[in-house]
Structures are given as C-alpha cells and as structure tokens.
Amino acid sequence: MFGLFKKKSEIEKLQEKYKKLMEEAYKLQSINRSDSDQKYLEADTLLKKIESIQA
C-alpha cells in the first residue's frame, strides 16, 4: 500500500528490461536462432551496464 506511488530506480528498470529480453530470447530459441542470439546479446550488454552501475 505504501509503495503504491514509489518510483522505480534506474537499476530496477534495467533489471525488468533484462528479464523481458531473456524471456523473448528463450521463446525465439526454437523458432529463429539468429534473432534469439541477438536478444541474448542485447541482454548481455544490459547486464554489463547494470553491473557497472552497481559497482
């Protein structure tokens, strides 16, 4: 209830985006391997950005 109007931090937003990219990559894995690899690459770069912010 009290967190209803709490804004998300930049790290939380990036983590959500990372999770979404990983889910999309997993779904594409059986359909189109090259698109799946591209999504994994985007997710990896996003993960590195998250780690650099946390450090």
Side-chain angles (χ1 to χ4, degrees), residues 16-29:
E16 258 186 42
K17 189 173 180 181
Y18 173 77
K19 183 179 176 184
K20 183 180 176 186
L21 282 172
M22 290 299 286
E23 288 174 357
E24 289 177 13
Y26 180 74
K27 289 177 184 175
L28 286 171
Q29 191 172 10

Side-chain angles (χ1 to χ4, degrees), residues 2-17:
F2 294 108
L4 185 62
F5 298 108
K6 180 183 173 191
K7 292 185 180 181
K8 293 184 180 180
S9 68
E10 183 179 353
I11 293 175
E12 290 173 334
K13 290 178 187 177
L14 291 174
Q15 287 173 338
E16 258 186 42
K17 189 173 180 181

